[in-house]
Amino acid sequence: MKFRDGMWLTAEGMRVEYAEDVYNITQTEKGLSLLCPTRKIFQRGDTLNLSTLTIDIEAASDGIISVETTHWAGEAVKGPNFDLFPDGQPKIEPQITQGVKGTTLNAGALSATIHPDQHTFDIRFHSTDGSKALTSLLNRSVGLAYSPGPSNPMQTGDMRDFKHYIFTQTTLGIGETVHGLGERFGAFNKVGQSISLWNADGGTSSDQAYKNVSFWLSSRGYGIFIDTPGKVELEIGSERCSRVQTSVQAQRLKWYIIYGPTPKDVLRRYSILTGKPGKVPSWSFGLWLSTSFTTNYDEATVNSFLEGMKERDTQVDVFHYDCFWMKAFTWTDFVFDSKRFPDPKAQISRLKESGLVKKVCVWINPYIAQHGAAFKTAAEKGYLLKRKNGDVWQWDLWQAGMGLVDFTNPDAVKWYVDCLNGLFDKGVDCIKTDFGERIPTLDVEWFDKSVDAHKMHNYYAFLYNKVVYEALQARYGTSEAVLFARTACAGTQRFPLVWGGDCESTPEAMAESVRGGLGLGLCGYAFWSNDIGGFEGYPAPWIYKRWVAFGLLCSHSRLHGSSSYRVPWTIDEDNKSEEGCSRTLAKWTALKTRLMPYLYAQGAKAVENGWPLSLRAMCLEFPEDRTAWYLDRQFMIGDSLLAAPIFDESGEVEFYLPKGKWTSFFTDKIRDGPGWFKEKHGFGSLPLYVRENTILVLGKSGVKGAVYDYAQDVEVCLYQVTEGASAELVDNQGNTLGTLKIDPSGELEGKGLLKGSWTTSDNGREVDELYSKTIEWL
C-alpha cells in the first residue's frame, strides 16, 4: 500500500496526515504515552480541527518494546489476537529517565528515546548501553490515511464509504537488509519489495505465500513483530528507499521491536514472545513416502512401494496416504474408501508388523464436502461457518458444496477431535493438515461473534493446526505429536512441522523452495520440509536426484508428487547403477540416518531457542560476515554443517565459506574461508562442509531407520578441535545423556557416555575413497 506519489505528492485518491509534534509525554505503568498532533502546535488555536495520533511505547520484556499507534481509540477491539507470551510474560521493570537527548524508556537491553524538542518528531531505538543504533521513527513516519480522501472533515461522520489506514515508517540504514515475513519464495533480501501478509494458495512461484508471518529480521541486530493477524501491507524500501513502511486498515497499529544484538538473540526473544517450537519425535526425522496426490493406489500399491524401497536398501519410517484414502467428492469426511481399503485398521497394523514402516500419516483439511458423511452432522449442529443470513457458507471451489469447520465453536472443535480420534483408533500416528488458506472474509459470521472476519483469514491457520496438534498430544503424548502443515501464521511454529507447498519439478522451483525455507526459519520455525522431486510435473532423473540430496538434508524429508509417483524406480526406469535414482536415494537416506545423533541434539537446541534446525540461514551463524546476509542457495544444518544444493545438470556448484577452516564431509579435504569456491559432484554428494572446532557424532554405518541408540557403536569425529569444543549427546527420546568435550590436554571427555564398539576419528571421519573420484574441485 503506497500513500505517496514519489517524494512530493500524495497518491491519487488519498488523504494523508502525519504526526508532526510530540505535544505531550505521559508516564504510564509500563512506559510512555505520546500525544502527537498532525500539525505543529505553536498556539492554543492550533489545537482545534485537527487529528491526533497517540503513540504508546511500553516495555514488554527484556530487549522487547511495544509501539502502538492509535487514531480513534473508540474503535471496537475485536479478536482474534495472537497468543503472546504463551509460557508466561517475563517480568520487566521499565525505567524512564530524562536527559539532554530527551526522554528515554529502558526495557533491559533495549531503549527508546524521544527527542526533547516538541516540534521535532524523532523517536530512536537503540541498545541501552549505547553501543548500537537500531532504527528510528522520524519526520513524517507515523500517520493515518483515508481512501478516498475526504474533501471535508464532515464527511468522516459516515465512514462506510471510506477506508482508514494507520502506518509507520521505520528507518532503513545504509546497507541494511530485511529478511523473513514467512515462507516467501522471491528474493531473500526483502528490501525493494512490496509485500502483503495474506495467506493464499499460490504455489511457490509467485509473491503469494501459504505462510505469512508478521515478523522480519534486520541485519542491524533487531527484529520487528507486527501484532495483528489481519492483513498487513509492507513497503520495504519500496515507497521511501530509506524506510520500511507498515500499514493496516484499522484505527490501531501495534508492533514490537526486539533487540539482539545477534540474530540468534533476536529469534530467542521472539520465541519468548510468540512461542517456542514444539518438540518432534525422532522417528519423524526418517524418510516419509507418499502415495502422491491424484495417483491411483490401494493396499497392493502401498505394499509394492514399501517392499520396493526395502529391496533397494532404503528404509521408510513414515508412510503417508494422501487425499484418495477417502472417496472422491467426500473430502474431508474421515472415512476410508471401503472399495480400496476394506479394513484400514488391519491394513495399517499389517504394515507396521511387517517392519516396512514405523508410522502412518493421513491427509486431511478443514473443508467438509457436501457429499461426504460428515457434512450433514456438521451442518445440522452448527459446526460450519455460516453466512450472515444463517445459511452454511459453501462454495464449489476445491470440493463440491464444501463448508468450513468453525474452530471458534468449542463443540465443533470437540466434534473434529472425535473424528481424528477415529483415525487414531485405526492406527494413524500423524496428520498432514493441508489447506486452510482460502478463508472467506465477506458475508460470513463466526460462532464467536467477537472476532473480526478479516483477522480470521490468517489466524485460522493457528486454530486449525492447534486443534489437530493438541489432539495428537492427547492421544500419543506431548513429545510424540507431529503435523505436516501447509498454512501458518505467527505462533504456528508451536505446532510442528510445516512443508513448503506446491512446487514445480524444476531446478528453479527447488531454488524457490530453498528461499522459502530460509525465510520461514528466520521466523522461528525449527522444522521444515518440502516435496522432494517437486510436486507439479514429472521430474527429470537428474532433478530428482539433486532434490533427493537437498531434501534429505532438511530437518524432515518427504517424497511426494501430484499426478506421478516419487518412488525412485519410476523416475529412471529402475536404473540400478550407483548413479541411478534408487541408489542415490539409498545413499542419502543412509547419510541422514547416520547424522541422527547430531540432528536430534541440534533439534533440541533449536526448540529451546526458537532457531531453525534446517534450513538455517547463514546469517544466523555468521552475522558479522556481510556476504552471509545475501546467501540464498546454501544453508546451515544446525551449528556445524554447511550444505549447498546443486541446481545444475552438470553437477557444478558455486558456494561460499565464511572465515575459518572447513572440512569436506565426503573427502576430509580442508578449505580455508572466507571465499567463494566451485566444485563438481556426482549424485551421491554435494558441498557438505563441517565447521572447525566441531565434535560430530555419527551413528553406526548401515543402521536402518531414524530411531536407534544414538550412543551405541557411534563414530566420534573431531574437526580441528580445541579446548572447550563440545557436543551434546541425547537418546532417541530427546533426553540429554551428557556432553562430549575436549579437555585442556586435548583429550575427549565424556567417553563413559558411549556404548558398544564406538570409535574416534581425529581429523575428520572415516571416508569412502570412492568419493574422491566423483568430486572435482574447480
Side-chain angles (χ1 to χ4, degrees):
M1 173 67 67
K2 290 184 169 66
F3 298 106
R4 298 202 65 83
D5 179 2
M7 282 288 290
W8 319 122
L9 303 177
T10 301
E12 185 176 352
M14 288 284 184
R15 177 180 174 85
V16 184
E17 301 175 14
Y18 298 95
E20 299 279 7
D21 250 16
V22 180
Y23 181 75
N24 189 43
I25 301 176
T26 303
Q27 185 170 334
T28 64
E29 181 182 353
K30 296 181 180 179
L32 300 168
S33 183
L34 283 53
L35 177 60
C36 303
T38 54
R39 66 169 174 250
K40 296 186 188 299
I41 306 300
F42 295 102
Q43 56 187 358
R44 288 185 175 182
D46 294 339
T47 64
L48 304 175
N49 301 315
L50 83 163
S51 58
T52 61
L53 291 157
T54 303
I55 304 176
D56 293 305
I57 304 175
E58 297 183 345
S61 181
D62 179 21
I64 305 178
I65 287 176
S66 68
V67 179
E68 183 172 30
T69 301
T70 305
H71 180 203
W72 290 333
E75 179 189 40
V77 180
K78 291 189 174 183
N81 300 301
F82 287 126
D83 183 15
L84 301 184
F85 296 110
D87 297 321
Q89 185 170 359
K91 290 185 178 180
I92 181 74
E93 292 294 333
Q95 297 181 3
I96 297 171
T97 59
Q98 290 186 334
V100 295
K101 293 185 178 180
T103 304
T104 296
L105 168 67
N106 167 273
L110 176 64
S111 292
T113 298
I114 296 92
H115 196 281
D117 180 0
Q118 170 190 324
H119 305 307
T120 301
F121 190 90
D122 186 322
I123 304 171
R124 308 269 173 162
F125 300 94
H126 55 90
S127 61
T128 297
D129 62 12
S131 63
K132 211 162 189 182
L134 303 175
T135 189
S136 308
L137 293 169
L138 300 180
N139 178 52
R140 294 199 159 195
S141 63
V142 178
L144 62 99
Y146 297 98
S147 175
S151 58
N152 185 318
M154 292 286 287
Q155 292 177 293
T156 61
D158 182 353
M159 288 294 292
R160 289 175 296 178
D161 294 328
F162 294 96
K163 293 181 179 179
H164 181 283
Y165 302 91
I166 296 286
F167 64 87
T168 60
Q169 295 178 344
T170 52
T171 54
L172 270 175
I174 297 170
E176 183 175 357
T177 58
V178 169
H179 309 268
L181 294 170
E183 184 189 52
R184 317 207 74 82
F185 306 105
F188 181 51
N189 175 16
K190 302 300 182 279
V191 174
Q193 297 183 38
S194 300
I195 291 177
S196 295
L197 301 183
W198 193 249
N199 286 354
D201 177 8
T204 69
S205 293
S206 74
D207 61 354
Q208 295 180 2
Y210 302 103
K211 306 170 190 68
N212 287 271
V213 181
S214 51
F215 172 79
W216 52 270
L217 179 72
S218 164
S219 60
R220 289 175 68 92
Y222 71 94
I224 286 185
F225 168 64
I226 306 156
D227 185 16
T228 175
K231 188 174 187 179
V232 179
E233 302 274 6
L234 293 116
E235 299 293 339
I236 308 172
S238 49
E239 179 166 26
R240 289 200 63 179
C241 297
S242 58
R243 293 182 179 179
V244 177
Q245 178 175 279
T246 303
S247 63
V248 294
Q249 186 179 338
Q251 298 288 346
R252 293 180 179 86
L253 168 60
K254 185 175 184 178
W255 45 262
Y256 292 79
I257 180 168
I258 306 169
Y259 177 50
T262 71
K264 277 187 166 182
D265 292 327
V266 174
L267 287 190
R268 178 178 54 79
R269 288 189 165 116
Y270 173 73
S271 73
I272 295 170
L273 179 63
T274 63
K276 296 182 182 297
K279 179 183 174 183
V280 292
S282 54
W283 52 261
S284 71
F285 284 74
L287 181 63
W288 296 47
L289 176 63
S290 164
T291 57
S292 292
F293 172 33
T294 60
T295 52
N296 290 321
Y297 62 91
D298 51 18
E299 182 171 3
T301 308
V302 171
N303 287 340
S304 71
F305 282 175
L306 293 170
E307 288 166 358
M309 296 291 270
K310 183 178 180 180
E311 290 170 5
R312 292 163 179 82
D313 202 28
T314 295
Q315 175 66 48
V316 174
D317 277 331
V318 184
F319 190 82
H320 169 70
Y321 295 86
D322 218 58
C323 318
F324 280 98
W325 65 271
M326 296 173 284
K327 291 181 180 179
F329 291 110
T330 70
W331 308 337
T332 296
D333 67 353
F334 303 95
V335 179
F336 275 84
D337 182 344
S338 59
K339 290 183 179 180
R340 295 180 180 273
F341 307 102
D343 190 351
K345 183 175 182 178
Q347 179 188 345
I348 291 171
S349 178
R350 287 193 295 270
L351 272 183
K352 294 178 181 179
E353 289 171 358
S354 71
L356 292 172
V357 67
K358 290 186 177 67
K359 303 290 182 179
V360 165
C361 175
V362 297
W363 174 98
I364 65 167
N365 61 55
Y367 307 149
I368 310 299
Q370 179 172 289
H371 301 287
F375 183 88
K376 183 177 181 181
T377 297
E380 287 179 351
K381 293 185 177 296
Y383 298 157
L384 302 178
L385 179 64
K386 292 184 177 181
R387 298 188 186 275
K388 290 182 178 180
N389 67 359
D391 293 349
V392 172
W393 179 90
Q394 292 179 267
W395 66 8
D396 293 325
L397 184 62
W398 181 243
Q399 288 288 286
M402 54 155 275
L404 182 71
V405 178
D406 185 345
F407 289 117
T408 73
N409 182 343
D411 290 336
V413 170
K414 184 179 182 301
W415 168 78
Y416 200 77
V417 170
D418 286 344
C419 294
L420 294 173
N421 280 324
L423 296 177
F424 304 156
D425 290 341
K426 292 179 176 62
V428 172
D429 305 282
C430 47
I431 299 290
K432 174 181 172 181
T433 49
D434 203 355
F435 288 91
E437 301 93 1
R438 294 172 179 165
I439 308 304
T441 60
L442 302 176
D443 189 28
V444 295
E445 186 172 273
W446 294 88
F447 176 84
D448 182 351
K449 303 301 188 294
S450 70
V451 303
D452 177 274
H454 285 82
K455 290 182 179 179
M456 280 297 297
H457 177 86
N458 284 357
Y459 194 74
Y460 190 87
F462 181 90
L463 294 178
Y464 168 35
N465 287 296
K466 182 176 187 286
V467 166
V468 180
Y469 187 75
E470 290 182 349
L472 285 162
Q473 286 185 313
R475 172 58 68 98
Y476 295 117
T478 302
S479 300
E480 284 293 308
V482 64
L483 306 178
F484 227 87
R486 189 172 76 172
T487 188
C489 63
T492 317
Q493 70 271 11
R494 293 162 51 187
F495 319 122
L497 59 101
V498 294
W499 101 97
D502 298 350
C503 48
E504 297 172 316
S505 298
T506 65
E508 292 80 10
M510 184 164 68
E512 291 163 4
S513 296
V514 173
R515 294 193 296 269
L518 290 172
L520 194 67
L522 292 179
C523 295
Y525 285 73
F527 307 110
W528 179 86
S529 186
N530 63 100
D531 290 342
I532 295 176
F535 176 73
E536 295 285 354
Y538 300 83
W542 78 265
I543 293 173
Y544 179 88
K545 289 181 282 189
R546 294 303 182 193
W547 211 315
V548 161
F550 160 50
L552 268 296
L553 292 176
C554 299
S555 75
H556 290 75
S557 309
R558 183 183 69 157
L559 293 162
H560 180 68
S562 178
S563 56
S564 59
Y565 300 123
R566 290 292 177 266
V567 286
W569 56 89
T570 65
I571 305 297
D572 63 357
E573 298 181 348
D574 203 10
N575 181 339
K576 292 182 170 60
S577 73
E578 284 299 307
E579 293 285 280
C581 290
S582 293
R583 287 300 303 144
T584 298
L585 178 62
K587 290 175 186 176
W588 284 101
T589 305
L591 172 57
K592 186 173 187 182
T593 301
R594 289 202 71 195
L595 285 171
M596 276 304 298
Y598 169 79
L599 291 174
Y600 210 45
Q602 288 286 312
K605 289 179 67 175
V607 166
E608 178 62 26
N609 293 284
W611 301 336
L613 170 58
S614 173
L615 311 181
R616 181 177 296 183
M618 297 294 296
C619 56
L620 280 184
E621 292 296 328
F622 305 96
E624 300 304 319
D625 187 329
R626 301 306 303 168
T627 301
W629 291 92
Y630 295 89
L631 299 173
D632 62 1
R633 295 190 301 277
Q634 61 186 72
F635 53 89
M636 296 294 291
I637 308 163
D639 300 337
S640 299
L641 295 180
L642 181 155
I646 298 171
F647 304 98
D648 193 272
E649 186 172 5
S650 69
E652 292 187 7
V653 57
E654 186 174 17
F655 59 97
Y656 178 82
L657 297 176
K659 183 179 180 180
K661 291 187 178 298
W662 295 85
T663 304
S664 168
F665 179 86
F666 292 106
T667 66
D668 281 347
K669 290 184 178 180
I670 297 173
R671 289 193 185 273
D672 291 314
W676 287 91
F677 302 92
K678 290 183 179 181
E679 294 178 0
K680 186 174 182 179
H681 286 257
F683 292 112
S685 64
L686 53 63
L688 182 62
Y689 278 82
V690 186
R691 194 175 185 175
E692 64 184 351
N693 216 30
T694 291
I695 300 174
L696 181 63
V697 182
L698 297 175
K700 181 182 179 181
S701 181
V703 68
K704 298 294 184 184
V707 183
Y708 57 92
D709 190 333
Y710 301 149
Q712 177 85 28
D713 301 333
V714 297
E715 181 182 358
V716 181
C717 311
L718 309 180
Y719 291 87
Q720 293 86 46
V721 292
T722 58
E723 179 186 349
S726 65
E728 293 295 314
L729 202 61
V730 301
D731 65 17
N732 59 33
Q733 298 301 306
N735 302 308
T736 300
L737 301 175
T739 304
L740 301 176
K741 190 175 182 179
I742 301 299
D743 68 17
S745 65
E747 294 297 314
L748 181 67
E749 290 182 355
K751 295 177 183 177
L753 301 170
L754 305 175
K755 297 181 287 185
S757 302
W758 59 271
T759 60
T760 303
S761 302
D762 290 332
N763 296 297
R765 70 180 187 98
E766 294 294 327
V767 299
D768 185 341
E769 295 301 328
L770 290 175
Y771 280 108
S772 63
K773 300 177 182 179
T774 61
I775 300 175
E776 183 180 353
W777 287 18
L778 303 177

